[in-house]
Amino acid sequence: MPRFLCRQCGARFPDAPTPPPGCPICLDERQYLRWGGQDWLTPDELAADHQIACAPDHGVLGLRIQPAFAIDQRALLIEAEGGNLLWDCIGLVTQAALDAIRARGKVIGIAISHPHYYTAMAEWAQALDVPVHLHADDRVWVTEPDPAIRHWDGEALKLGSSLTLLRCGGHFAGATVLHHAAGTGTLYTGDVLQVTADRRHVSVLYSYPNMIPVNAATIRRIAAILEPYAFDKVYGAFEGRVIASGAKAALERSFERYLAAIA
């Protein structure tokens, strides 16, 4: 029996003779149904005319499906002392991409910012033989359960000596960012904190496609969570969306601007 992927968001579902009646990720108010109606494809169908481009973005290896598929986010390989981490996930697994990842050293796990990017996490975990770290507050959004998934509770989770997952909330209850303490520090945010087009700010929305903002209390909470951590760069969910320097000040400026706009 095939597995099915939602063509709109990339969510993947367990083996079944027919697709689910609908995609719960797209039926949620943060996402939306495909304008032409719910549509599905299998992993084999996706692989038939798509590939993974593996290319560095400001020094970090990015993996992105081409031509663009679903939400079009990229995964990033975070190279760290003690083992590398695959941050966020995409809906296709290829041998070439696995080879590119393994060529850069041991992988210790996968961590994903929020449910819109869960997609083919089970296949990635099996291929790399590593666990997937997801916040327990978003457990209900897992569409393809797998023994590799480890749900963590609380506000922070250390993964090795320099990697820390931080629950920020906002976009989802368990929405998570990743802090890498090496050097001057780096923050990986998916679109929990969306790097804007000017690459000098971030924004925080409950829904990006439907443009639903978060409230002031959420912004203040996220600012307080990030305040103790040093970082000079921020990597967002999409290719090129990187604040390459001065990121700590950029986030402070962004939060102040957001609060002023909704006051």
Short mmCIF file of all heavy atoms in Angstrom, two decimals, residues 82-149:
data_model
loop_
_atom_site.label_atom_id
_atom_site.label_comp_id
_atom_site.label_asym_id
_atom_site.label_seq_id
_atom_site.Cartn_x
_atom_site.Cartn_y
_atom_site.Cartn_z
N GLY A 82 30.25 17.09 18.56
CA GLY A 82 29.52 15.96 19.14
C GLY A 82 28.50 15.34 18.21
O GLY A 82 27.89 14.32 18.54
N GLY A 83 28.27 15.94 17.05
CA GLY A 83 27.33 15.37 16.09
C GLY A 83 26.44 16.42 15.47
O GLY A 83 26.11 17.44 16.09
N ASN A 84 26.06 16.18 14.22
CA ASN A 84 25.25 17.13 13.46
C ASN A 84 23.76 16.89 13.65
O ASN A 84 23.33 15.78 13.97
CB ASN A 84 25.61 17.05 11.98
CG ASN A 84 27.08 17.32 11.73
OD1 ASN A 84 27.76 17.95 12.54
ND2 ASN A 84 27.59 16.83 10.61
N LEU A 85 22.98 17.94 13.39
CA LEU A 85 21.53 17.88 13.56
C LEU A 85 20.86 18.35 12.29
O LEU A 85 21.23 19.39 11.73
CB LEU A 85 21.10 18.77 14.73
CG LEU A 85 19.61 18.75 15.09
CD1 LEU A 85 19.27 17.48 15.89
CD2 LEU A 85 19.23 19.98 15.89
N LEU A 86 19.89 17.58 11.81
CA LEU A 86 19.06 18.03 10.68
C LEU A 86 17.92 18.85 11.24
O LEU A 86 17.10 18.35 12.03
CB LEU A 86 18.53 16.84 9.89
CG LEU A 86 17.80 17.19 8.58
CD1 LEU A 86 18.75 17.86 7.59
CD2 LEU A 86 17.19 15.94 7.96
N TRP A 87 17.87 20.12 10.86
CA TRP A 87 16.87 21.06 11.37
C TRP A 87 15.78 21.24 10.31
O TRP A 87 16.05 21.57 9.17
CB TRP A 87 17.51 22.40 11.70
CG TRP A 87 16.54 23.50 12.02
CD1 TRP A 87 16.30 24.62 11.27
CD2 TRP A 87 15.69 23.60 13.17
NE1 TRP A 87 15.35 25.41 11.88
CE2 TRP A 87 14.97 24.80 13.05
CE3 TRP A 87 15.47 22.78 14.28
CZ2 TRP A 87 14.04 25.22 14.00
CZ3 TRP A 87 14.54 23.18 15.24
CH2 TRP A 87 13.84 24.38 15.10
N ASP A 88 14.54 21.03 10.76
CA ASP A 88 13.36 21.05 9.89
C ASP A 88 13.44 19.91 8.86
O ASP A 88 14.39 19.14 8.83
CB ASP A 88 13.13 22.42 9.26
CG ASP A 88 12.39 23.35 10.23
OD1 ASP A 88 11.70 22.84 11.13
OD2 ASP A 88 12.50 24.58 10.09
N CYS A 89 12.41 19.80 8.04
CA CYS A 89 12.29 18.59 7.23
C CYS A 89 11.59 18.92 5.91
O CYS A 89 10.85 19.91 5.81
CB CYS A 89 11.49 17.53 7.99
SG CYS A 89 11.64 15.86 7.32
N ILE A 90 11.84 18.08 4.91
CA ILE A 90 11.20 18.21 3.61
C ILE A 90 10.58 16.87 3.23
O ILE A 90 10.85 15.85 3.85
CB ILE A 90 12.21 18.69 2.54
CG1 ILE A 90 13.44 17.77 2.49
CG2 ILE A 90 12.61 20.14 2.80
CD1 ILE A 90 14.44 18.16 1.42
N GLY A 91 9.75 16.87 2.20
CA GLY A 91 8.90 15.73 1.89
C GLY A 91 9.50 14.66 1.00
O GLY A 91 8.81 13.71 0.64
N LEU A 92 10.77 14.81 0.62
CA LEU A 92 11.41 13.86 -0.27
C LEU A 92 12.73 13.42 0.34
O LEU A 92 13.46 14.24 0.91
CB LEU A 92 11.65 14.52 -1.63
CG LEU A 92 12.36 13.70 -2.72
CD1 LEU A 92 11.53 12.49 -3.13
CD2 LEU A 92 12.66 14.59 -3.93
N VAL A 93 13.06 12.13 0.23
CA VAL A 93 14.35 11.58 0.66
C VAL A 93 15.03 10.98 -0.56
O VAL A 93 14.42 10.18 -1.28
CB VAL A 93 14.16 10.50 1.74
CG1 VAL A 93 15.51 9.95 2.19
CG2 VAL A 93 13.39 11.04 2.94
N THR A 94 16.28 11.36 -0.81
CA THR A 94 17.03 10.80 -1.93
C THR A 94 18.40 10.32 -1.45
O THR A 94 18.93 10.82 -0.46
CB THR A 94 17.24 11.83 -3.06
OG1 THR A 94 18.12 12.86 -2.61
CG2 THR A 94 15.92 12.44 -3.50
N GLN A 95 18.95 9.38 -2.19
CA GLN A 95 20.27 8.86 -1.83
C GLN A 95 21.33 9.95 -1.95
O GLN A 95 22.24 10.03 -1.12
CB GLN A 95 20.64 7.67 -2.73
CG GLN A 95 21.90 6.95 -2.28
CD GLN A 95 21.78 6.39 -0.87
OE1 GLN A 95 20.85 5.67 -0.55
NE2 GLN A 95 22.74 6.74 -0.02
N ALA A 96 21.21 10.80 -2.95
CA ALA A 96 22.19 11.88 -3.13
C ALA A 96 22.18 12.82 -1.93
O ALA A 96 23.24 13.27 -1.47
CB ALA A 96 21.90 12.64 -4.42
N ALA A 97 20.99 13.15 -1.43
CA ALA A 97 20.91 14.03 -0.26
C ALA A 97 21.47 13.35 0.98
O ALA A 97 22.17 13.98 1.78
CB ALA A 97 19.46 14.45 -0.03
N LEU A 98 21.17 12.07 1.16
CA LEU A 98 21.72 11.33 2.30
C LEU A 98 23.24 11.29 2.23
O LEU A 98 23.92 11.45 3.25
CB LEU A 98 21.14 9.91 2.33
CG LEU A 98 19.65 9.80 2.65
CD1 LEU A 98 19.16 8.37 2.40
CD2 LEU A 98 19.36 10.21 4.09
N ASP A 99 23.78 11.08 1.05
CA ASP A 99 25.23 11.06 0.88
C ASP A 99 25.85 12.41 1.23
O ASP A 99 26.91 12.48 1.88
CB ASP A 99 25.61 10.68 -0.55
CG ASP A 99 25.28 9.23 -0.89
OD1 ASP A 99 25.06 8.43 0.06
OD2 ASP A 99 25.24 8.89 -2.09
N ALA A 100 25.19 13.50 0.82
CA ALA A 100 25.70 14.84 1.11
C ALA A 100 25.70 15.11 2.61
O ALA A 100 26.61 15.75 3.14
CB ALA A 100 24.86 15.89 0.38
N ILE A 101 24.67 14.63 3.29
CA ILE A 101 24.59 14.80 4.74
C ILE A 101 25.66 13.98 5.45
O ILE A 101 26.39 14.48 6.31
CB ILE A 101 23.18 14.40 5.23
CG1 ILE A 101 22.14 15.43 4.77
CG2 ILE A 101 23.15 14.26 6.76
CD1 ILE A 101 20.72 14.99 4.99
N ARG A 102 25.77 12.73 5.08
CA ARG A 102 26.73 11.84 5.75
C ARG A 102 28.18 12.27 5.49
O ARG A 102 29.05 12.03 6.33
CB ARG A 102 26.50 10.41 5.28
CG ARG A 102 25.18 9.82 5.77
CD ARG A 102 24.99 8.41 5.26
NE ARG A 102 23.75 7.82 5.76
CZ ARG A 102 22.84 7.22 5.00
NH1 ARG A 102 23.04 7.12 3.69
NH2 ARG A 102 21.75 6.71 5.53
N ALA A 103 28.43 12.90 4.37
CA ALA A 103 29.78 13.34 4.05
C ALA A 103 30.27 14.41 5.03
O ALA A 103 31.49 14.64 5.13
CB ALA A 103 29.83 13.89 2.62
N ARG A 104 29.36 15.03 5.75
CA ARG A 104 29.73 16.09 6.68
C ARG A 104 29.81 15.61 8.12
O ARG A 104 29.94 16.43 9.04
CB ARG A 104 28.75 17.26 6.54
CG ARG A 104 28.89 17.94 5.18
CD ARG A 104 27.95 19.11 5.02
NE ARG A 104 28.17 19.76 3.74
CZ ARG A 104 28.54 21.04 3.60
NH1 ARG A 104 28.74 21.79 4.67
NH2 ARG A 104 28.71 21.56 2.40
N GLY A 105 29.71 14.30 8.34
CA GLY A 105 29.91 13.78 9.68
C GLY A 105 28.67 13.11 10.25
O GLY A 105 27.62 13.04 9.62
N LYS A 106 28.84 12.64 11.46
CA LYS A 106 27.78 11.89 12.14
C LYS A 106 26.56 12.76 12.41
O LYS A 106 26.68 13.91 12.84
CB LYS A 106 28.32 11.33 13.45
CG LYS A 106 27.31 10.57 14.28
CD LYS A 106 27.91 10.13 15.61
CE LYS A 106 26.87 9.42 16.47
NZ LYS A 106 27.44 9.02 17.79
N VAL A 107 25.39 12.21 12.17
CA VAL A 107 24.13 12.90 12.47
C VAL A 107 23.55 12.29 13.75
O VAL A 107 23.44 11.07 13.87
CB VAL A 107 23.11 12.76 11.31
CG1 VAL A 107 21.81 13.48 11.65
CG2 VAL A 107 23.71 13.31 10.02
N ILE A 108 23.19 13.14 14.71
CA ILE A 108 22.69 12.65 16.00
C ILE A 108 21.18 12.76 16.13
O ILE A 108 20.58 12.20 17.04
CB ILE A 108 23.35 13.37 17.18
CG1 ILE A 108 23.07 14.88 17.12
CG2 ILE A 108 24.86 13.08 17.21
CD1 ILE A 108 23.49 15.63 18.37
N GLY A 109 20.54 13.48 15.22
CA GLY A 109 19.10 13.61 15.34
C GLY A 109 18.50 14.58 14.34
O GLY A 109 19.21 15.21 13.55
N ILE A 110 17.18 14.65 14.40
CA ILE A 110 16.38 15.60 13.62
C ILE A 110 15.53 16.39 14.60
O ILE A 110 14.99 15.82 15.56
CB ILE A 110 15.47 14.85 12.62
CG1 ILE A 110 16.29 14.03 11.62
CG2 ILE A 110 14.55 15.83 11.88
CD1 ILE A 110 15.46 13.05 10.81
N ALA A 111 15.41 17.68 14.39
CA ALA A 111 14.51 18.51 15.19
C ALA A 111 13.71 19.39 14.24
O ALA A 111 14.26 19.90 13.26
CB ALA A 111 15.27 19.35 16.20
N ILE A 112 12.44 19.58 14.54
CA ILE A 112 11.54 20.27 13.60
C ILE A 112 10.81 21.38 14.34
O ILE A 112 10.30 21.19 15.44
CB ILE A 112 10.55 19.28 12.96
CG1 ILE A 112 11.33 18.15 12.26
CG2 ILE A 112 9.65 20.00 11.97
CD1 ILE A 112 10.46 17.08 11.64
N SER A 113 10.76 22.53 13.71
CA SER A 113 10.25 23.73 14.36
C SER A 113 8.75 23.68 14.67
O SER A 113 8.33 24.14 15.73
CB SER A 113 10.54 24.97 13.50
OG SER A 113 9.97 24.84 12.20
N HIS A 114 7.96 23.09 13.77
CA HIS A 114 6.51 23.09 13.99
C HIS A 114 5.85 22.14 12.99
O HIS A 114 6.48 21.68 12.03
CB HIS A 114 5.95 24.51 13.87
CG HIS A 114 5.98 25.07 12.48
ND1 HIS A 114 7.14 25.41 11.82
CD2 HIS A 114 4.97 25.34 11.61
CE1 HIS A 114 6.84 25.86 10.61
NE2 HIS A 114 5.53 25.82 10.46
N PRO A 115 4.56 21.82 13.16
CA PRO A 115 3.92 20.75 12.38
C PRO A 115 3.86 20.95 10.87
O PRO A 115 3.76 19.96 10.14
CB PRO A 115 2.51 20.69 12.98
CG PRO A 115 2.70 21.11 14.40
CD PRO A 115 3.72 22.20 14.32
N HIS A 116 3.91 22.17 10.37
CA HIS A 116 3.87 22.36 8.92
C HIS A 116 5.06 21.72 8.22
O HIS A 116 5.02 21.48 7.01
CB HIS A 116 3.84 23.86 8.58
CG HIS A 116 2.53 24.51 8.90
ND1 HIS A 116 2.40 25.87 9.11
CD2 HIS A 116 1.28 23.99 9.06
CE1 HIS A 116 1.14 26.16 9.38
NE2 HIS A 116 0.44 25.04 9.34
N TYR A 117 6.12 21.43 8.98
CA TYR A 117 7.33 20.86 8.40
C TYR A 117 7.60 19.43 8.85
O TYR A 117 8.70 18.91 8.62
CB TYR A 117 8.55 21.75 8.73
CG TYR A 117 8.44 23.17 8.24
CD1 TYR A 117 9.26 24.17 8.76
CD2 TYR A 117 7.53 23.53 7.24
CE1 TYR A 117 9.17 25.47 8.32
CE2 TYR A 117 7.43 24.83 6.80
CZ TYR A 117 8.25 25.81 7.34
OH TYR A 117 8.15 27.11 6.90
N TYR A 118 6.62 18.77 9.44
CA TYR A 118 6.82 17.37 9.86
C TYR A 118 6.99 16.46 8.64
O TYR A 118 7.84 15.59 8.63
CB TYR A 118 5.65 16.87 10.70
CG TYR A 118 5.56 17.42 12.09
CD1 TYR A 118 4.47 17.10 12.91
CD2 TYR A 118 6.55 18.24 12.63
CE1 TYR A 118 4.38 17.59 14.20
CE2 TYR A 118 6.45 18.73 13.91
CZ TYR A 118 5.35 18.41 14.70
OH TYR A 118 5.25 18.88 15.98
N THR A 119 6.14 16.59 7.67
CA THR A 119 6.18 15.93 6.36
C THR A 119 6.79 14.53 6.41
O THR A 119 6.27 13.65 7.12
CB THR A 119 6.82 16.85 5.28
OG1 THR A 119 6.73 16.24 4.02
CG2 THR A 119 8.18 17.36 5.60
N ALA A 120 7.91 14.26 5.75
CA ALA A 120 8.48 12.90 5.65
C ALA A 120 9.49 12.61 6.75
O ALA A 120 10.46 11.87 6.54
CB ALA A 120 9.11 12.70 4.28
N MET A 121 9.27 13.15 7.96
CA MET A 121 10.24 12.99 9.04
C MET A 121 10.50 11.52 9.38
O MET A 121 11.63 11.15 9.72
CB MET A 121 9.78 13.74 10.29
CG MET A 121 8.47 13.26 10.87
SD MET A 121 8.01 14.21 12.33
CE MET A 121 6.37 13.53 12.65
N ALA A 122 9.47 10.67 9.27
CA ALA A 122 9.66 9.26 9.61
C ALA A 122 10.65 8.59 8.65
O ALA A 122 11.53 7.83 9.09
CB ALA A 122 8.31 8.53 9.58
N GLU A 123 10.54 8.88 7.37
CA GLU A 123 11.47 8.29 6.41
C GLU A 123 12.88 8.83 6.59
O GLU A 123 13.87 8.08 6.50
CB GLU A 123 10.99 8.53 4.98
CG GLU A 123 11.86 7.81 3.94
CD GLU A 123 11.34 7.97 2.52
OE1 GLU A 123 10.26 8.59 2.33
OE2 GLU A 123 12.03 7.47 1.60
N TRP A 124 13.01 10.12 6.87
CA TRP A 124 14.33 10.69 7.14
C TRP A 124 14.96 10.04 8.37
O TRP A 124 16.15 9.71 8.38
CB TRP A 124 14.23 12.20 7.33
CG TRP A 124 14.20 12.96 6.04
CD1 TRP A 124 13.10 13.54 5.44
CD2 TRP A 124 15.30 13.25 5.18
NE1 TRP A 124 13.45 14.16 4.27
CE2 TRP A 124 14.80 14.01 4.08
CE3 TRP A 124 16.66 12.95 5.23
CZ2 TRP A 124 15.62 14.44 3.06
CZ3 TRP A 124 17.49 13.39 4.19
CH2 TRP A 124 16.97 14.14 3.13
N ALA A 125 14.16 9.86 9.43
CA ALA A 125 14.68 9.26 10.65
C ALA A 125 15.15 7.83 10.42
O ALA A 125 16.20 7.41 10.91
CB ALA A 125 13.61 9.29 11.74
N GLN A 126 14.37 7.08 9.65
CA GLN A 126 14.75 5.70 9.35
C GLN A 126 16.01 5.65 8.48
O GLN A 126 16.90 4.84 8.72
CB GLN A 126 13.58 5.00 8.66
CG GLN A 126 12.38 4.77 9.56
CD GLN A 126 11.09 4.55 8.80
OE1 GLN A 126 11.10 4.36 7.58
NE2 GLN A 126 9.96 4.59 9.50
N ALA A 127 16.10 6.55 7.51
CA ALA A 127 17.25 6.54 6.60
C ALA A 127 18.54 6.93 7.33
O ALA A 127 19.62 6.39 7.02
CB ALA A 127 17.00 7.50 5.44
N LEU A 128 18.45 7.86 8.28
CA LEU A 128 19.63 8.32 9.00
C LEU A 128 19.83 7.57 10.32
O LEU A 128 20.86 7.75 10.97
CB LEU A 128 19.51 9.82 9.28
CG LEU A 128 19.56 10.74 8.05
CD1 LEU A 128 19.16 12.15 8.43
CD2 LEU A 128 20.94 10.73 7.42
N ASP A 129 18.83 6.75 10.70
CA ASP A 129 18.87 5.99 11.96
C ASP A 129 19.08 6.91 13.16
O ASP A 129 19.99 6.71 13.98
CB ASP A 129 19.96 4.92 11.90
CG ASP A 129 19.86 3.90 13.04
OD1 ASP A 129 18.75 3.74 13.57
OD2 ASP A 129 20.89 3.30 13.39
N VAL A 130 18.22 7.92 13.26
CA VAL A 130 18.31 8.90 14.34
C VAL A 130 16.90 9.20 14.87
O VAL A 130 15.90 8.97 14.17
CB VAL A 130 18.97 10.21 13.87
CG1 VAL A 130 20.42 9.97 13.46
CG2 VAL A 130 18.17 10.86 12.74
N PRO A 131 16.80 9.75 16.09
CA PRO A 131 15.49 10.16 16.60
C PRO A 131 15.05 11.51 16.04
O PRO A 131 15.86 12.30 15.54
CB PRO A 131 15.74 10.29 18.11
CG PRO A 131 17.20 10.63 18.22
CD PRO A 131 17.88 9.90 17.08
N VAL A 132 13.74 11.75 16.12
CA VAL A 132 13.15 13.04 15.76
C VAL A 132 12.64 13.69 17.03
O VAL A 132 11.82 13.10 17.75
CB VAL A 132 11.99 12.88 14.76
CG1 VAL A 132 11.45 14.26 14.36
CG2 VAL A 132 12.40 12.09 13.55
N HIS A 133 13.08 14.91 17.32
CA HIS A 133 12.70 15.62 18.53
C HIS A 133 11.59 16.62 18.21
O HIS A 133 11.81 17.60 17.48
CB HIS A 133 13.91 16.33 19.13
CG HIS A 133 15.04 15.40 19.46
ND1 HIS A 133 15.05 14.61 20.59
CD2 HIS A 133 16.19 15.13 18.79
CE1 HIS A 133 16.16 13.90 20.62
NE2 HIS A 133 16.86 14.19 19.55
N LEU A 134 10.39 16.37 18.76
CA LEU A 134 9.24 17.25 18.56
C LEU A 134 8.70 17.65 19.93
O LEU A 134 8.68 16.85 20.86
CB LEU A 134 8.12 16.53 17.80
CG LEU A 134 8.45 15.86 16.47
CD1 LEU A 134 7.20 15.20 15.91
CD2 LEU A 134 9.02 16.86 15.48
N HIS A 135 8.22 18.88 20.02
CA HIS A 135 7.64 19.28 21.31
C HIS A 135 6.30 18.60 21.53
O HIS A 135 5.47 18.48 20.62
CB HIS A 135 7.47 20.80 21.40
CG HIS A 135 7.32 21.25 22.82
ND1 HIS A 135 6.11 21.20 23.49
CD2 HIS A 135 8.23 21.69 23.72
CE1 HIS A 135 6.29 21.62 24.73
NE2 HIS A 135 7.56 21.92 24.90
N ALA A 136 6.08 18.14 22.76
CA ALA A 136 4.88 17.38 23.10
C ALA A 136 3.60 18.19 22.92
O ALA A 136 2.53 17.61 22.70
CB ALA A 136 4.98 16.86 24.53
N ASP A 137 3.68 19.50 23.01
CA ASP A 137 2.47 20.32 22.85
C ASP A 137 1.89 20.22 21.45
O ASP A 137 0.73 20.58 21.24
CB ASP A 137 2.78 21.79 23.17
CG ASP A 137 2.89 22.05 24.66
OD1 ASP A 137 2.65 21.12 25.46
OD2 ASP A 137 3.22 23.20 25.04
N ASP A 138 2.68 19.74 20.49
CA ASP A 138 2.19 19.60 19.11
C ASP A 138 2.00 18.14 18.71
O ASP A 138 1.89 17.81 17.52
CB ASP A 138 3.16 20.28 18.14
CG ASP A 138 3.14 21.80 18.29
OD1 ASP A 138 2.11 22.33 18.74
OD2 ASP A 138 4.15 22.45 17.95
N ARG A 139 1.92 17.26 19.70
CA ARG A 139 1.77 15.83 19.44
C ARG A 139 0.56 15.53 18.57
O ARG A 139 0.58 14.64 17.72
CB ARG A 139 1.64 15.09 20.78
CG ARG A 139 1.55 13.59 20.68
CD ARG A 139 1.11 13.00 22.02
NE ARG A 139 2.00 13.35 23.11
CZ ARG A 139 3.00 12.58 23.56
NH1 ARG A 139 3.22 11.41 22.99
NH2 ARG A 139 3.75 12.98 24.56
N VAL A 140 -0.54 16.27 18.76
CA VAL A 140 -1.78 15.99 18.05
C VAL A 140 -1.64 16.17 16.54
O VAL A 140 -2.44 15.63 15.76
CB VAL A 140 -2.91 16.88 18.60
CG1 VAL A 140 -2.69 18.35 18.26
CG2 VAL A 140 -4.27 16.43 18.09
N TRP A 141 -0.62 16.90 16.08
CA TRP A 141 -0.47 17.22 14.66
C TRP A 141 0.39 16.21 13.91
O TRP A 141 0.62 16.38 12.70
CB TRP A 141 0.11 18.62 14.50
CG TRP A 141 -0.79 19.67 15.04
CD1 TRP A 141 -0.63 20.38 16.20
CD2 TRP A 141 -2.01 20.13 14.48
NE1 TRP A 141 -1.66 21.25 16.38
CE2 TRP A 141 -2.53 21.12 15.34
CE3 TRP A 141 -2.72 19.82 13.31
CZ2 TRP A 141 -3.73 21.78 15.08
CZ3 TRP A 141 -3.91 20.47 13.05
CH2 TRP A 141 -4.40 21.44 13.92
N VAL A 142 0.87 15.18 14.58
CA VAL A 142 1.68 14.17 13.90
C VAL A 142 0.76 13.31 13.02
O VAL A 142 -0.11 12.60 13.53
CB VAL A 142 2.44 13.29 14.91
CG1 VAL A 142 3.15 12.13 14.19
CG2 VAL A 142 3.45 14.12 15.68
N THR A 143 0.96 13.35 11.71
CA THR A 143 0.10 12.61 10.79
C THR A 143 0.66 11.24 10.43
O THR A 143 -0.06 10.40 9.89
CB THR A 143 -0.14 13.41 9.49
OG1 THR A 143 1.13 13.71 8.89
CG2 THR A 143 -0.88 14.71 9.79
N GLU A 144 1.95 11.01 10.69
CA GLU A 144 2.58 9.72 10.41
C GLU A 144 3.38 9.28 11.64
O GLU A 144 4.58 9.53 11.72
CB GLU A 144 3.48 9.80 9.17
CG GLU A 144 4.01 8.44 8.74
CD GLU A 144 4.92 8.52 7.52
OE1 GLU A 144 5.46 9.61 7.23
OE2 GLU A 144 5.09 7.49 6.85
N PRO A 145 2.73 8.66 12.62
CA PRO A 145 3.44 8.24 13.84
C PRO A 145 4.58 7.28 13.51
O PRO A 145 4.51 6.51 12.54
CB PRO A 145 2.35 7.55 14.66
CG PRO A 145 1.06 8.09 14.12
CD PRO A 145 1.30 8.32 12.66
N ASP A 146 5.63 7.33 14.33
CA ASP A 146 6.79 6.47 14.10
C ASP A 146 7.55 6.30 15.42
O ASP A 146 7.60 7.25 16.22
CB ASP A 146 7.71 7.10 13.05
CG ASP A 146 8.79 6.14 12.58
OD1 ASP A 146 8.53 5.39 11.62
OD2 ASP A 146 9.88 6.12 13.19
N PRO A 147 8.14 5.13 15.65
CA PRO A 147 8.89 4.92 16.90
C PRO A 147 10.07 5.86 17.08
O PRO A 147 10.55 6.04 18.21
CB PRO A 147 9.36 3.47 16.78
CG PRO A 147 8.43 2.82 15.81
CD PRO A 147 8.03 3.89 14.85
N ALA A 148 10.56 6.45 15.99
CA ALA A 148 11.71 7.35 16.10
C ALA A 148 11.35 8.69 16.74
O ALA A 148 12.24 9.43 17.17
CB ALA A 148 12.32 7.60 14.73
N ILE A 149 10.06 9.02 16.81
CA ILE A 149 9.65 10.32 17.33
C ILE A 149 9.77 10.34 18.85
O ILE A 149 9.25 9.46 19.55
CB ILE A 149 8.20 10.64 16.90
CG1 ILE A 149 8.12 10.76 15.37
CG2 ILE A 149 7.72 11.93 17.56
CD1 ILE A 149 6.71 10.86 14.84
#
